[in-house]
Amino acid sequence: MPSSGATHGDKLARALDEWRQAGLIRDDEVEPILRYEQAKTRSHGRIPLAAEAVGYVGSALVITAIALLIGQRWDGLAVGFRIATFAVPAFGAAAFGWWIGAKPDPAFVRVGSAMWVLSVGALASAIIVVFVDAMYLGDPPARGGLLFVGGIVTVWAGSEYALRRLPLQQLAFFAASLVTVLGGVDALGVGRDRGFSTIVWGLAVWAFGTVWTILGVRERFTPSEVARLIGPATLLIGAQVVRADAPAHVLGDLALWLGLGSALLLIAVGVWRADLLVLLVGAAGLFQWAPQLAIFYLADAIGTEATLLVVGLSLLGAAYAFTRLYRRVRSEAPTRSPMTST
């Protein structure tokens, strides 16, 4: 039985020969294409995915064992050693990730990307130790920690993302930036005195998700697929946080309309831009918010049974409308590069 690589090569050779006979390519273009594809297949096969996965699991176990050993002696360690415990791996992982990620094999690129994410986590831990143990001797203030740690880590993660526009680097930059925004809200204490702090946090998450979505749709991030997925999802999560803490009959209806309006806006953007990812997240938001809206307004007026009937019929109608929109957008969607880690 021929190998999968040989089968792929035979299919490609037959396709190229068909294109040559049809006049789509010249005779002298066939051989260079075959050589390129064969070289790419060989380079991609240097490290089996199974071996790569086992390497990740083994590394995770080693890191866990080291963390447990250090954790048992943590209270007896000097502050400088505590900082070095995280700072040295942070810089070491960054250097190793830079070196191995520069190699042409996609497996090495993925390893380098994972090492850079590890360096972000280790640096965040080191900065936490600096803030808590070095700056405030174990008694940190109630505010300011998130902003301090998040700001430094955002610069670090943003620098890594600027150097290598990979999915994991964008996720790390996204997480650090969101922590920084929430840290700023926490440091300002907005809404704390009136008991609206959670609502303000939810609005901050919603605004941050909105900005990330806009930048993703405008393809300011690479790969844009990551931004067009996590941005809309964060927007909807922020609206749900607002809804969870909104007092009934005061802000509850506004929070519901915020969530439903956000979902409908995402659907509209998905249709307008022929963007399947944004459309899918918007549809998920619609299924999330439509039942809440119906229950909020109809449960007391027409009873639970009738409300469930209305919600069910509404969701069926939404499912039908989404199917029509999905088919339309899929037929009109421009060809986008797939989300890759290379």
Side-chain angles (χ1 to χ4, degrees):
M1 180 181 294
S3 64
S4 59
T7 301
H8 172 72
D10 293 340
K11 290 181 179 179
L12 178 61
R14 288 195 296 269
L16 290 174
D17 184 65
E18 180 181 345
W19 298 344
R20 180 186 59 79
Q21 294 179 13
L24 299 176
I25 58 176
R26 301 189 307 271
D27 293 347
D28 59 347
E29 292 178 325
V30 174
E31 189 62 28
I33 294 175
L34 284 174
R35 286 200 304 268
Y36 171 79
E37 288 295 327
Q38 290 169 358
K40 186 172 66 173
T41 301
R42 286 195 299 269
S43 66
H44 284 197
R46 280 186 288 183
I47 297 181
L49 289 177
E52 183 182 351
V54 171
Y56 287 133
V57 174
S59 300
L61 292 176
V62 171
I63 293 173
T64 302
I66 295 174
L68 291 174
L69 288 174
I70 295 177
Q72 294 173 358
R73 300 165 176 81
W74 186 256
D75 293 336
L77 299 177
V79 173
F81 191 85
R82 293 183 185 182
I83 297 173
T85 299
F86 294 111
V88 172
F91 292 110
F96 181 73
W98 174 263
W99 172 72
I100 198 169
K103 296 182 178 297
D105 194 298
F108 289 138
V109 175
R110 291 190 290 269
V111 171
S113 180
M115 293 302 296
W116 273 13
V117 172
L118 181 62
S119 75
V120 171
L123 180 68
S125 301
I127 301 303
I128 291 173
V129 176
V130 169
F131 184 80
V132 174
D133 295 333
M135 295 176 60
Y136 292 99
L137 303 178
D139 188 23
R143 304 179 190 177
L146 278 178
L147 182 60
F148 180 80
V149 176
I152 296 176
V153 176
T154 297
V155 173
W156 181 270
S159 299
E160 290 185 342
Y161 178 62
L163 291 171
R164 287 180 180 161
R165 299 298 185 95
L166 300 175
L168 287 180
Q169 272 56 70
Q170 185 184 154
L171 289 173
F173 181 44
F174 169 86
S177 301
L178 180 57
V179 169
T180 303
V181 170
L182 295 179
V185 173
D186 181 60
L188 294 174
V190 180
R192 189 186 301 270
D193 296 336
R194 299 185 179 182
F196 291 158
S197 57
T198 304
I199 295 176
V200 176
W201 279 48
L203 289 174
V205 173
W206 179 87
F208 183 82
T210 301
V211 171
W212 209 273
T213 300
I214 294 172
L215 294 175
V217 169
R218 294 176 63 85
E219 299 190 349
R220 294 294 187 268
F221 290 116
T222 304
S224 65
E225 291 88 348
V226 176
R228 289 166 23 233
L229 182 63
I230 61 177
T234 303
L235 185 156
L236 294 175
I237 291 172
Q240 189 63 62
V241 172
V242 174
R243 166 63 180 157
D245 200 49
H249 307 299
V250 179
L251 295 176
D253 52 347
L254 295 178
L256 283 169
W257 286 109
L258 174 66
L260 184 63
S262 299
L264 292 175
L265 181 61
L266 290 174
I267 292 175
V269 171
V271 174
W272 173 48
R273 302 277 300 189
D275 193 320
L276 289 175
L277 280 177
V278 176
L279 178 63
L280 289 172
V281 178
L286 180 62
F287 293 131
Q288 171 191 357
W289 286 100
Q292 296 186 55
L293 194 71
I295 292 171
F296 184 83
Y297 283 106
L298 299 178
D300 294 336
I302 63 176
T304 303
E305 296 81 359
T307 300
L308 292 176
L309 178 62
V310 171
V311 171
L313 292 175
S314 301
L315 290 179
L316 289 175
Y320 174 76
F322 169 71
T323 302
R324 296 291 300 270
L325 289 174
Y326 179 82
R327 290 175 178 174
R328 173 185 170 186
V329 171
R330 188 172 183 179
S331 64
E332 297 178 357
T335 303
R336 296 181 183 268
S337 59
M339 188 189 309
T340 62
S341 59
T342 58

